[in-house]
Amino acid sequence: MSDSTDQAKEWAAFQYEIYLNGMTGAVPRLPTDLTRLEEVAEARLGPGPVGYVAGSAGNGRTTRANREALDRWQIVPRMLRDVQRRDLSVELLGTRLPAPLALAPVGVLSIMHPDAETGAARAAAAQGVPFILSSASSTPMERVAEAMGEAERWFQLYWPKDREVTKSLLGRAKAAGYTALFVTLDTWLLAWRPRDLDQAYLPFLHGVGTANYFTDPAFQAGLAKPVHEDPNAAVLHFVNMFADPTKTWDDLDFLREHWDGPIVLKGILHPDDARRAAAAGMDGIVVSNHGGRQVNGAIGAADALPGVVQAVGDRLTVLFDSGIRTGDDIFKALALGARAVLLGRPYAYGLGLDGQPGVEHVIRSLLAEFDLTLALSGHTTAARLTPAALTRTNA
């Protein structure tokens, strides 16, 4: 896609916009401390949807580990440097972006807000931030693409058992202008998630999060009746093919055969797996533990990041998610070697609380805080942060 970004965007100016609006008595509709969004969502939204987004595997140990891993790193500000002009832009997967941020793939967004994925995608497009559409979205990929116009969009694949359905999904995504493929590797099975189990809440069994499949010709070809005539059979067909725990590294050749753009593997935590991704000809990886939603007791993602960067940072585009909540989190991830970060739960809360404007608020708040953190720490270029900007505590 064409470069539609404003390289000189002053993200920090958002705070002055807020203060000026305050002259008329207006205050932000959502918290500017994004760590408070979950609390507000818990108070205002239904327990099933909020629990599905906020919930983690087991007792949440890995989700806490993600925060602890980031908090173990501290920024060491430097003084008397000219930081008047900053450049947050980065080159990522062949595209110049105005900031090192993309919206992570989050499925079934209709449980949070009626505008669902289209609302989040429009917000991303308005701010020049890439939107990664989950294959488990509640809106067909073509409708999301139409909502985004020419804005940068990437497609995430939960790799189904059926090869024909996989080929069809990839072909549709390419035709709809999705330029990069993100393949999630850590969700061949659903983890033990007590918040969902206690509510007996799984949207897929109600046909939510199945839009890309139910509209897919290859999927429909496996049904005895059209989806609308026997929705229960369609759900069962979806459940039976949704994930395939038999997949191995050898299967990546199939994806390369049917996708001619960048391929990014999401869910890498071990340096040896990162090396295998490079050897397989992949273009990038996401250091991620799925936000603590899959393996309780797993390593915090930021603890895994340095080793992965050391192993493949010179060969692959290394991205990061799992635990990003604040501007200083972005700073730390970039300093540890990530090229950009993916943001998940906070934007889903923003969507649930205020639709598209809520997502834009989250994006602008996060990047304004990052811009200010960059400047106040004595740095001017996001792409040039190094571990020298940090120190690690012993806690």
Side-chain angles (χ1 to χ4, degrees):
M1 281 181 191
S2 62
D3 183 351
S4 60
T5 64
D6 176 2
Q7 311 305 336
K9 185 160 186 173
E10 295 183 4
W11 295 99
F14 185 41
Q15 70 169 334
Y16 298 111
E17 180 181 322
I18 292 173
Y19 288 133
L20 287 173
N21 287 338
M23 299 294 290
T24 65
V27 298
R29 290 165 57 90
L30 298 182
T32 54
D33 174 0
L34 301 183
T35 66
R36 291 187 52 222
L37 285 174
E38 181 176 338
E39 170 194 348
V40 177
E42 293 268 14
R44 296 187 191 174
L45 305 177
V50 173
Y52 185 81
V53 173
S56 304
N59 68 356
R61 185 177 293 116
T62 302
T63 298
R64 293 191 295 275
N66 286 333
R67 289 302 321 157
E68 291 162 0
L70 285 163
D71 289 342
R72 273 191 286 273
W73 292 99
Q74 295 179 326
I75 299 167
V76 184
R78 302 296 302 275
M79 298 297 118
L80 290 176
R81 294 179 171 185
D82 182 354
V83 295
Q84 182 176 0
R85 296 183 182 277
R86 278 107 43 212
D87 181 10
L88 270 59
S89 67
V90 294
E91 186 79 25
L92 208 62
L93 301 175
T95 302
R96 193 75 178 171
L97 303 176
L101 175 71
L103 296 192
V106 178
V108 297
L109 283 176
S110 64
I111 67 175
M112 298 299 283
H113 192 277
D115 287 349
E117 290 80 13
T118 55
R122 284 194 298 265
Q127 296 302 319
V129 170
F131 180 75
I132 310 175
L133 178 72
S134 172
S135 57
S137 66
S138 43
T139 311
M141 64 180 83
E142 292 83 1
R143 280 178 51 196
V144 177
E146 183 179 0
M148 294 192 73
E150 294 300 311
E152 191 70 18
R153 51 188 175 269
W154 303 330
F155 182 69
Q156 176 269 343
L157 180 71
Y158 283 118
W159 198 345
K161 292 179 181 177
D162 190 311
R163 285 194 161 206
E164 294 305 312
V165 172
T166 302
K167 288 194 290 186
S168 183
L169 290 173
L170 296 183
R172 288 170 60 196
K174 179 61 69 172
Y178 295 85
T179 58
L181 177 66
F182 283 64
V183 186
T184 296
L185 303 182
D186 57 15
T187 315
W188 303 116
L189 302 167
L190 282 183
W192 187 257
R193 299 178 184 171
R195 287 196 67 168
D196 296 336
L197 290 164
D198 289 349
Q199 297 281 334
Y201 185 84
L202 188 61
F204 302 110
L205 298 185
H206 300 278
V208 180
T210 59
N212 286 316
Y213 300 84
F214 285 7
T215 58
D216 191 82
F219 179 91
Q220 293 169 353
L223 300 174
K225 297 180 180 179
V227 173
H228 69 276
E229 291 185 11
D230 194 348
N232 290 334
V235 167
L236 182 62
H237 189 47
F238 165 82
V239 169
N240 287 334
M241 78 161 59
F242 177 68
D244 183 3
T246 69
K247 290 286 194 300
T248 70
W249 292 96
D250 293 337
D251 292 299
L252 291 175
D253 289 341
F254 177 82
L255 293 183
R256 181 54 75 193
E257 180 183 351
H258 296 285
W259 183 269
D260 60 5
I263 300 178
V264 179
L265 303 184
K266 184 176 183 292
I268 299 294
L269 294 167
H270 197 290
D272 287 349
D273 285 344
R275 294 184 185 99
R276 293 202 71 166
M282 300 295 100
D283 300 278
I285 56 176
V286 184
V287 175
S288 166
N289 57 33
H290 215 102
R293 290 170 64 78
Q294 282 299 99
V295 179
N296 197 36
I299 185 174
D303 283 339
L305 179 58
V308 170
V309 169
Q310 184 177 15
V312 300
D314 59 342
R315 291 182 284 168
L316 297 179
T317 297
V318 178
L319 307 177
F320 177 84
D321 75 26
S322 299
I324 296 293
R325 296 292 181 272
T326 64
D328 57 285
D329 291 339
I330 298 178
F331 184 105
K332 293 173 184 179
L334 298 186
L336 292 173
R339 296 279 297 278
V341 304
L342 311 184
L343 183 72
R345 287 181 176 102
Y347 92 76
Y349 300 140
L351 177 72
L353 292 166
D354 200 21
Q356 177 182 339
V359 180
E360 290 199 51
H361 171 86
V362 169
I363 294 170
R364 297 184 73 191
S365 295
L366 186 69
L367 290 177
E369 187 178 19
F370 171 57
D371 189 5
L372 290 165
T373 302
L374 188 74
L376 292 169
S377 301
H379 301 275
T380 58
T381 308
R384 294 180 183 174
L385 289 173
T386 71
L390 305 175
T391 189
R392 184 179 170 89
T393 69
N394 295 322

